[in-house]
Amino acid sequence: MSVLVRPLVTEKVSALNEEGRYGFIVNRNANKIQIKNAVETTYGVTVEDVNTMRYQGKKKSRYTKSGVISGRMPAYKKAIVKVADGDVIDFYSGI
C-alpha cells in the first residue's frame, strides 16, 4: 500500500509552506504514524506533527442525450504535515 498519493500544490497550501507545513493527498486507510514515517523516509525530513482530514467526493451531474447522469467524485484523505525548523521539502526539484 502506497501511503502518499501525491503532494498538494494549491495556493492555500503553498502559503502554509512558508511556516514549514506541507500538504499531501494520502491513502484513505493510512493513519498518522504511517503518514509520518512515509514523509520522513521519502523526503528525509523530521516530522513534528500530522493533521488529517477526510473528504467525501463532490456530487457531479451532466446532461446527456439519454438524460441526466449523476454520480460522485472519489473520496480522499488529506494530510497537513509540520516539519522541524530548518527542514524543507522541495516538490519542484524534479521538474
Side-chain angles (χ1 to χ4, degrees):
M1 162 176 95
S2 175
V3 176
L4 299 177
V5 177
R6 63 183 168 92
L8 273 174
V9 186
T10 61
E11 278 188 49
K12 196 170 193 178
V13 175
S14 296
L16 289 176
N17 289 355
E18 297 168 8
E19 303 170 11
R21 298 172 71 88
Y22 299 90
F24 296 93
I25 299 291
V26 296
N27 189 312
R28 286 177 49 200
N29 298 322
N31 61 30
K32 292 183 181 188
I33 297 167
Q34 292 171 332
I35 294 167
K36 177 182 177 179
N37 292 336
V39 171
E40 286 179 344
T41 56
T42 305
Y43 295 103
V45 296
T46 304
V47 175
E48 291 181 348
D49 190 28
V50 178
N51 296 327
T52 59
M53 293 151 271
R54 297 180 65 169
Y55 287 93
Q56 191 170 4
K58 288 185 176 180
K59 283 183 111 175
K60 297 278 187 170
S61 62
R62 61 183 177 180
Y63 300 95
T64 63
K65 198 171 7 177
S66 60
V68 177
I69 298 174
S70 61
R72 271 193 187 275
M73 297 295 289
Y76 61 97
K77 187 174 191 177
K78 184 164 71 171
I80 303 295
V81 175
K82 180 171 177 30
V83 298
D85 291 338
D87 286 345
V88 176
I89 298 175
D90 187 17
F91 296 133
Y92 306 107
S93 63
I95 296 177

